[in-house]
Amino acid sequence: DAKTTQPPSMDCAEGRAANLPCNHSTISGNEYVYWYRQIHSQGPQYIIHGLKNNETNEMASLIITEDRKSSTLILPHATLRDTAVYYCIAYLYNNNDMRFGAGTRLTVKP
Amino acid sequence: KAGVTQTPRYLIKTRGQQVTLSCSPISGHRSVSWYQQTPGQGLQFLFEYFSETQRNKGNFPGRFSGRQFSNSRSEMNVSTLELGDSALYLCASSIQNTGELFFGEGSRLTVL
């Protein structure tokens, strides 16, 4: 399985874009990049996923580099409620085995 | 649409006892995964079930077991509890093989 590496923590000002990086230099061609977040004391919440192309939904945007060795999750206008641990995961579809790493603790400050 | 339901939400046990946790997935979801979360180890994968069959298993001792019923509800059991088993146990359900997991609120186990 490809491993991902993320910075342990980041800060972001409220209302600004939060850009969370993820390195997955050993990802295989058929592994997707998934992002989840976990707000304190709650179960993780799915955010977005992608394979090669950039993706956007109502929560965030996912930018994957052309060589697929890294990606960035973008929260366009961070709010205090976006304070959470964000997990980047390389996932093989027919494995159904989602493994979470340490993630990035994002703190949005007023 | 009801979410993933886990029971009980909180429980306290003593060392050596056993515990059974229950998970009711979202209607129509046939895959159920279990995770253990502790401050020191983070979110660790326990096992995943689909159609009553365990398809994947994490690196946990045999004291941790699970099963899935024909209605997709799942239970996990921990026997001979140890202090280190104190954790938040999370269950997640999904439609087959999608990576979009829906998590319950968890069962917080304290072992004294």
Side-chain angles (χ1 to χ4, degrees), chain B:
Chain B
K1 195 172 183 180
V4 176
T5 304
Q6 291 189 245
T7 56
R9 291 290 316 281
Y10 302 91
L11 64 166
I12 300 173
K13 293 284 187 178
T14 56
R15 279 181 298 174
Q17 287 187 311
Q18 73 163 16
V19 66
T20 299
L21 308 178
S22 179
C23 173
S24 293
I26 291 172
S27 177
H29 287 191
R30 296 169 65 188
S31 170
V32 173
S33 301
W34 288 90
Y35 292 83
Q36 180 198 64
Q37 186 166 34
T38 59
Q41 298 296 320
L43 257 174
Q44 291 193 284
F45 174 78
L46 280 157
F47 25 65
E48 185 259 350
Y49 287 88
F50 180 83
S51 290
E52 303 178 67
T53 299
Q54 186 183 92
R55 296 194 299 184
N56 294 291
K57 190 176 191 307
N59 188 26
F60 278 82
R63 299 186 297 107
F64 292 81
S65 63
R67 59 179 175 168
Q68 186 181 34
F69 302 96
S70 58
N71 62 358
S72 294
R73 191 177 70 84
S74 178
E75 289 181 348
M76 67 162 284
N77 184 277
V78 188
S79 62
T80 319
L81 284 166
E82 301 175 0
L83 296 179
D85 298 332
S86 295
L88 179 66
Y89 291 87
L90 289 159
C91 165
S93 74
S94 68
I95 297 171
Q96 179 185 0
N97 288 350
T98 75
E100 189 172 349
L101 304 182
F102 294 82
F103 282 82
E105 293 184 321
S107 294
R108 185 165 295 280
L109 170 66
T110 300
V111 181
L112 302 176

